[in-house]
Amino acid sequence: MNARDAQVADSPPTLRARRLGLYAQHQSIAVMRTDCHVCRAEGLASRSQVLLSAGGRQVQAVLYQADGDLVAPGEAALSESAWERLGVAEGAPIEVSHAPALDSLASVRRRIYGHRLDAAALQAVVADVTAGRYTDVHLAAFLTASAALPLDEQETVDLTAAMIDAGERLTWNAPVVVDKHCIGGLPGNRTTPIVVAIVAAHGLVMPKTSSRAITSPAGTADTMETLAPVDLDLATMRRVVDQEGGCIAWGGAVHLSPADDIFVRVERELDVDTEGQLIASVLSKKIAAGSNHVVLDIPVGPTAKVRTEEAADRLGDRLIAVAAHFGLAATCIRTDGSQPVGRGIGPALEAHDILAVLQNKPDAPGDLRHRAAVLAGAALEIGGAAEPGAGYALALATLADGQAWTKFQRICQAQGGMREPPRALHIRPLTAARAGRIVQINNRKIAQLAKLAGAPEAKAAGVTMEVMLGADVGIGQPLLQLHADTAGELAYAMEYASRNPDIIEIAT
Amino acid sequence: MNARDAQVADSPPTLRARRLGLYAQHQSIAVMRTDCHVCRAEGLASRSQVLLSAGGRQVQAVLYQADGDLVAPGEAALSESAWERLGVAEGAPIEVSHAPALDSLASVRRRIYGHRLDAAALQAVVADVTAGRYTDVHLAAFLTASAALPLDEQETVDLTAAMIDAGERLTWNAPVVVDKHCIGGLPGNRTTPIVVAIVAAHGLVMPKTSSRAITSPAGTADTMETLAPVDLDLATMRRVVDQEGGCIAWGGAVHLSPADDIFVRVERELDVDTEGQLIASVLSKKIAAGSNHVVLDIPVGPTAKVRTEEAADRLGDRLIAVAAHFGLAATCIRTDGSQPVGRGIGPALEAHDILAVLQNKPDAPGDLRHRAAVLAGAALEIGGAAEPGAGYALALATLADGQAWTKFQRICQAQGGMREPPRALHIRPLTAARAGRIVQINNRKIAQLAKLAGAPEAKAAGVTMEVMLGADVGIGQPLLQLHADTAGELAYAMEYASRNPDIIEIAT
């Protein structure tokens, strides 16, 4: 067959770009009219994967079709993700065609059928994921295949490397760069600002990037933001770290392991955690952040991410082994994950706990101080600032003598100035329905309660715990306080509590 | 914890329903403002799964958020699927809350980790899928898990039963009800109308429901629609079948195995075919349609769905075994899948081929006649209208003596009146670039070419083949003709052909 008879078409017809103002996370969406001539000519239908091209840039998107007034003739309306990736102006001409077939999907299919993937295959998968070329169907298939036949150590190493390579990688002008991470999170477990202050007070470099909450009532970045600016660009981060040895910045401004955010969203929707993906997720971010020493906090408890000590040990061993492939020295610390940490759950409420510990207030939550000192102690030891076994005591001493508080204030100043965390307008207790002993605290439901009260969007909202496991309570005694900015949110949280009597269980 | 202090919230605040006019196939979408008070109160974020409630009906949807003018304050804008399922009027009050956790996802997770599912678990999965409660992530995980560890025969039986139970089930007042199905499809393989005419001419009952094209240039319903109305409700179908013994109707008006359409879309996106899913897909539709005898056409070829004879035999054996569990007698016929069937590819072009065969025209495509007679012969035999081995000859005789043509005309009349298939305005040949022998015809690319020319939306558009495998051609000789309604579509198809010289391969 030849082109002799083929009257080669002119360059494909274009549509006018329109910003739809539609937020769909990483998902790029294009909306075009059902009667659009490009849809007809290209054979595009609703939910087709399309390639948007403009000004030399290309973005893959899912197509939805619309009739009525939603999209005008000749327009292609784009979601925010598509709009930003394509970088067009309102009304600019864009071309729309069928998205090309993705070669890396052949690897996904091979993995489904039980074949292991090599480094090159995983690099190609992660590159396509990072570029937004995988649909939810493709992402879920890859992650499911990696769960059905778990990633082995080599695959985990290769996936980690691919995830690092897909994003930015920071370097620091210091021989020892320390990081920490908590596996799975625990309400109120906001040790990071305290750990950074202690570690940096001893001259170690700890350029900490943290996340904002996605499904939790507060991320470290949300909490820290009530104390100082966290939205630092890389230049500012470098200046703060050069000056103070440490920072507590939001990681979103630097693009470390961007595939991770995409995988995590799908894993959450699937509620499937695979060890290999978890390890690649955690370590790729740490390695990309330029650290060579990391302390990993693994909370264990019935409603924590890791539920048994055996699972924690196995996960810890695998984390250390994979980290070693990248020259990253990891220490895993198994901690109590049976109840929330500290008193506050919610950005500002957690910040108040942090300040109480740093300022040696008499009512500072002892569990938060203890945990922060354990983790800081381990960091001091692996960083060479404390002899083995002496880290914990040194960390506590650094809190007690005010050095950590001084360092924390200096870091906040360097990040843009210290702030006073806000207080909520509405506070109301939830009380014990009967006398007895606290035998169970459901971390997930406590977190949900704090979110219904408004956290993390409402910085001051959340929960403060009035009891811990093992405490004896009398009837009517407060179990926790709800903090909210509006009466409506308070009512929402109260209503949830009334429907869920097992948030805190009392045995008589 | 008690409700004493819980000021139980009034019923959740409502939003006003708005019809967005957005087409997203089965996917239900709700668009709400980023500053929506319900999002804030419920903790809903973009891509949350939400439950829409109105007038006693509930629909699960994915939430996208928008700012700007897209959605007015107090509104929830719904995609067509959400709008239809919810059945609300413009401006009607709807409640929006977090979608409840799906218990059946625990079964999906168990399946991912290698546990087989029993009938009750599969019933629950399929019920949730049918109700639109599974996201693409959930669907892909289920299908991937069923591919990584293939469904065994019992699971395939249980899945088939669950898919039947999820939809309507037809019954016919006849001891023998015959059906046919082609596995995977092949361009131009439009034997169904011919088979129905032959079989019904011999007094057997064949109430055929067919699909429209989804990704192909024509479905049987699209082709048949150029000859007679196919959008029959169940009462009309019954009347036609009572009167003529057979019908060729669009299956969309009756809801047979509705989960199948949802699974098929995801399998296509994943490009993963699993035998168990394929069997459940095919058999659930046939059994739900009330047939107790089925002839299965399994085309085998390098660009067909089934690529080797061994695969066809294994698939056939499994199909027969699973069908037997439901009292369905299946006959599998392995056919040549190496090239398109007949001459035309596209709704009207295929209809012209069908008419040529039924009318015994001298230029009728012999391969289409042969295949239709083979399948009709098998149907006559399993239906008891022909002795074993005598079906093919009887089918040919029924064509030759005009009985099939008479019956076909009567069926068309009963369905609402016979029509003349249209002809395209623009016809242009693609010619051989060199002399030689046709050694390969790529079914998938031929189908794509027909779609670019406008099929199936443009009924007259598509491709007519001028050569078959093994033919010798001279340079410049036409290989196929492109048919299009517009010059633009013709140009598109020509351009595709010029970029794909391997659509038809010529060896010198």
Side-chain angles (χ1 to χ4, degrees), chain A residues 224-298:
Chain A
M224 187 65 194
E225 199 167 33
T226 70
L227 292 161
V230 294
D231 195 352
L232 313 183
D233 59 21
L234 191 52
T236 309
M237 248 182 92
R238 288 201 181 281
R239 182 180 52 71
V240 176
V241 173
D242 281 350
Q243 198 174 314
E244 300 299 336
C247 71
I248 304 116
W250 174 50
V254 284
H255 298 281
L256 308 178
S257 189
D260 182 49
D261 299 345
I262 298 171
F263 286 139
V264 164
R265 178 185 59 74
V266 175
E267 286 168 329
R268 191 177 303 121
E269 191 167 324
L270 211 47
D271 199 9
V272 163
D273 266 320
T274 72
E275 192 183 84
Q277 285 288 348
L278 173 64
I279 292 170
S281 166
V282 170
L283 296 184
S284 65
K285 290 256 187 201
K286 302 296 139 194
I287 295 160
S291 61
N292 48 30
H293 293 74
V294 64
V295 177
L296 297 163
D297 176 6
I298 308 182

Side-chain angles (χ1 to χ4, degrees), chain B residues 108-199:
Chain B
V108 173
R109 285 187 284 272
R110 288 183 54 240
R111 192 63 177 67
I112 292 172
Y113 293 117
H115 303 278
R116 296 207 174 268
L117 299 185
D118 62 14
L122 286 165
Q123 288 276 348
V125 168
V126 171
D128 281 337
V129 167
T130 307
R133 298 189 195 108
Y134 271 36
T135 66
D136 275 11
V137 164
H138 303 147
L139 291 165
F142 175 66
L143 294 171
T144 300
S146 313
L149 173 69
L151 297 175
D152 64 18
E153 188 170 316
Q154 188 58 49
E155 285 182 315
T156 305
V157 168
D158 292 338
L159 177 63
T160 304
M163 289 170 69
I164 295 166
D165 292 350
E168 290 178 21
R169 190 160 180 178
L170 309 184
T171 53
W172 303 94
N173 193 17
V176 175
V177 181
V178 182
D179 209 335
K180 78 160 276 287
H181 187 82
C182 176
I183 305 284
L186 195 61
N189 193 15
R190 210 55 61 204
T191 54
T192 292
I194 305 171
V195 172
V196 171
I198 296 171
V199 169

Side-chain angles (χ1 to χ4, degrees), chain A residues 5 13 21 23 27 40-42 46-47 64-67 109 135-136 138 269-272 431 489 492, chain B residues 5 21 23 27 40-42 46-47 64-67 109 113 135-136 138 265 269-271 431 489 492:
Chain A
D5 295 293
Y23 295 85
Q27 195 179 22
R40 173 78 180 273
E42 288 280 313
S46 201
R47 298 190 85 174
Y64 291 126
Q65 291 182 308
D67 54 21
R109 284 187 286 272
T135 66
D136 274 10
H138 302 149
E269 191 167 324
L270 211 47
D271 199 9
V272 163
T431 59
E489 284 164 317
Y492 257 103
Chain B
D5 294 294
Y23 295 84
Q27 195 178 24
R40 173 78 179 274
E42 288 280 313
S46 201
R47 298 190 86 174
Y64 292 126
Q65 291 182 307
D67 55 21
R109 285 187 284 272
Y113 293 117
T135 66
D136 275 11
H138 303 147
R265 178 185 58 76
E269 189 166 325
L270 209 48
D271 200 9
T431 58
E489 284 163 317
Y492 257 102

